[in-house]
């Protein structure tokens, strides 16, 4: 073998990203995050994205991440699970990070902030419960994992990134077991799966996706470094990658004779636990179209043609990560309130007292999202 520069880090080129969501613009000029049930593949090279579409379904589209001028290519696939390989070495990188308009402002390992070489700034400024504050004030757990996609063209790695709590805790356990067994040598087959989970909080069921990394082998093989590297399980047909819903709610809403009937379909989807962000956006668009048609008919005017656009095909969007909380989630609104109150120097006890004083003694834990949102608006108006 020819010589190498011994003090340079050897790493494979990054060919693209594996994403788990996107965002769509709202009437208020803000972007609303949308969770994806399936993998999204993006790259500057269209041939790689087209190969992903051929394997896992979906339509290739030109796409530009928010804040990035160079165009890329993207496909929202139909696959919840894809086959991959861990490259040699440690494929996982984790830090608590805070980003701003000028780039990364903090990168901390939980003990030391690496850029300033100071002790954890979030812990020092905000105490043990710093993680309850919003991302404008404190760092977020950021996990990045590099994998090889053996069925796509190019020699290099693909990066998946998440800010999710569960992935931050679960990924190291899998990676450390494999690395300890192989010594960081060899290529290990793994499965990358988007798993839909739910938890009960404040009497409400909340659903969210988590990226799960699964080693294709037994625990004994992982610990002894004997996982067979060449035996990849066959790819599932794209049309079998997602379990279809029992009902086609969108089709039922389109056939509805009135807007109220379309709303009833929306509520049935929610009650059955079948609602997804893509379905939600589609049902809302259908309802608005029917409502506009009813108003036009009542006034004798012709209804304008409404453009119903599936959220999965929206363009000019920004990729997001897993475990996103909806805008109408009380917990998400409360985090915004805590962030706003922190700028005034309020502690949690004072904040809860202020909320209770303005709402007849009601505790913030018992308030719904609209009431919390109204309180947040009051805080911002008084600050202005």
């Amino acid at each position: 073998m020819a010589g190498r520069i011994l003090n340079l880090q050897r790493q494979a080129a990054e060919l693209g990203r594996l994403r788990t969501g996107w965002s769509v613009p709202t009437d208020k000029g803000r972007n609303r995050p949308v969770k994806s049930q399936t993998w999204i593949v993006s790259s500057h090279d269209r041939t790689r994205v087209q190969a992903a579409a051929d394997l896992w379904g979906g339509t290739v589209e030109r796409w530009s991440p928010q804040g990035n001028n160079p165009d890329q290519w993207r496909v929202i696939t139909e696959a919840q699970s894809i086959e991959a390989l861990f490259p040699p070495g440690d494929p996982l990188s984790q830090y608590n990070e805070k980003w701003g308009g000028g780039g990364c402002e903090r990168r901390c390992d939980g003990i030391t902030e690496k850029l300033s070489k100071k002790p954890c700034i979030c812990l020092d400024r905000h105490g043990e419960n710093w993680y309850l504050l919003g991302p404008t004030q404190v760092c977020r757990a950021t996990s990045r994992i590099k994998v090889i996609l053996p069925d796509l063209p190019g020699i290099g790695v693909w990066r998946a990134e998440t800010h999710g709590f569960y992935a931050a805790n679960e990924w190291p356990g899998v990676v450390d077991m494999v690395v300890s067994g192989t010594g960081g040598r060899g290529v290990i087959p793994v499965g990358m799966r988007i798993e839909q989970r739910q938890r009960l909080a404040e009497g409400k069921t909340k659903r969210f996706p988590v990226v799960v990394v699964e080693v294709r082998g037994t625990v004994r093989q992982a610990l002894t470094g004997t996982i067979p590297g060449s035996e990849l399980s066959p790819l599932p047909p794209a049309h079998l990658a997602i379990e279809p819903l029992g009902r086609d709610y969108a089709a039922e809403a389109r056939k509805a004779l009135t807007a109220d009937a379309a709303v009833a379909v929306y509520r049935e989807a929610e009650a059955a636990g079948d609602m997804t962000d893509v379905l939600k956006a589609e049902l809302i668009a259908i309802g608005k179209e029917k409502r506009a048609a009813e108003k036009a008919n009542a006034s004798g005017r012709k209804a304008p043609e409404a453009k119903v656009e599936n959220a999965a095909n929206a363009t000019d969007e920004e990729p997001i990560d897993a475990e996103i909380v909806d805008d109408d989630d009380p917990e998400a609104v409360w985090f915004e309130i805590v962030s706003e109150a922190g700028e005034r120097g309020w502690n949690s006890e004072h904040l809860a007292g202020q909320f209770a004083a303005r709402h007849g003694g009601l505790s913030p834990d018992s308030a719904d999202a609209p009431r919390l949102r109204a309180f947040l608006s009051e805080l911002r108006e008084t600050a202005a």
Side-chain angles (χ1 to χ4, degrees), residues 301-374:
R301 294 182 289 104
K302 183 179 179 181
E305 293 185 4
K307 184 179 180 182
V308 180
E309 193 175 86
N310 191 307
N313 296 322
T315 57
D316 298 328
E317 300 152 1
E318 177 185 346
I320 61 171
D321 299 302
E323 299 170 40
I324 299 296
V325 182
D326 293 336
D327 288 340
D328 59 353
D329 189 330
E331 186 174 319
V333 182
W334 181 247
F335 283 161
E336 291 187 58
I337 293 173
V338 170
S339 177
E340 191 75 25
E343 297 179 4
R344 293 167 168 73
W346 293 4
N347 58 29
S348 57
E349 184 178 350
H350 181 72
L351 175 59
Q354 289 291 320
F355 183 88
R358 302 185 191 189
H359 295 87
L362 178 67
S363 169
D365 295 338
S366 303
D368 55 15
R371 189 165 298 184
L372 291 172
R373 183 69 65 185

Side-chain angles (χ1 to χ4, degrees), residues 76-247:
I76 301 174
T77 74
E78 299 174 3
Q80 289 177 323
S81 180
I82 59 178
E83 297 297 318
L85 301 168
F86 277 166
D90 187 349
L92 177 63
S93 171
Q94 289 185 303
Y95 288 103
N96 292 323
E97 294 181 354
K98 185 176 185 295
W99 287 74
C104 185
E105 299 174 353
R106 300 178 201 162
R107 178 170 285 126
C108 180
D109 62 7
I111 304 297
T112 305
E113 200 284 303
K114 299 297 184 178
L115 303 182
S116 65
K117 310 300 182 184
K118 297 179 180 179
C120 176
I121 295 174
C122 296
L123 178 63
D124 181 61
R125 292 182 180 178
H126 304 289
E128 295 181 354
N129 294 325
W130 62 266
Y131 57 87
L132 296 177
L133 300 177
T136 59
Q137 289 184 280
V138 297
C139 298
R140 299 175 68 192
T142 303
S143 303
R144 301 180 179 93
I145 197 164
K146 294 180 179 180
V147 296
I148 299 169
L149 299 181
D151 299 296
L152 298 189
I155 298 177
V157 296
W158 296 74
R159 189 174 91 191
E161 179 176 322
T162 178
H163 300 286
F165 169 82
Y166 293 94
N169 282 270
E170 295 173 8
W171 285 7
V174 175
V175 172
D176 291 349
M177 182 180 296
V178 172
V179 171
S180 66
T182 63
R185 299 179 299 274
V187 178
I188 306 301
V190 296
M192 302 283 289
R193 180 165 55 86
I194 300 178
E195 181 178 279
Q196 303 299 322
R197 297 184 184 178
Q198 65 182 38
R199 65 186 179 92
L200 188 64
E202 300 176 0
K204 296 182 179 179
T205 300
K206 299 181 180 181
R207 295 176 175 84
F208 53 92
V210 177
V211 177
V212 177
V213 178
E214 300 171 315
V215 175
R216 297 307 194 206
T218 66
V219 174
R220 183 183 298 278
Q221 289 173 328
L223 293 175
T224 58
T226 57
I227 297 176
S230 60
E231 297 180 7
L232 294 178
S233 60
L235 292 169
H239 67 280
L240 297 179
I242 309 176
E243 294 182 5
L245 295 176
R247 292 172 56 182

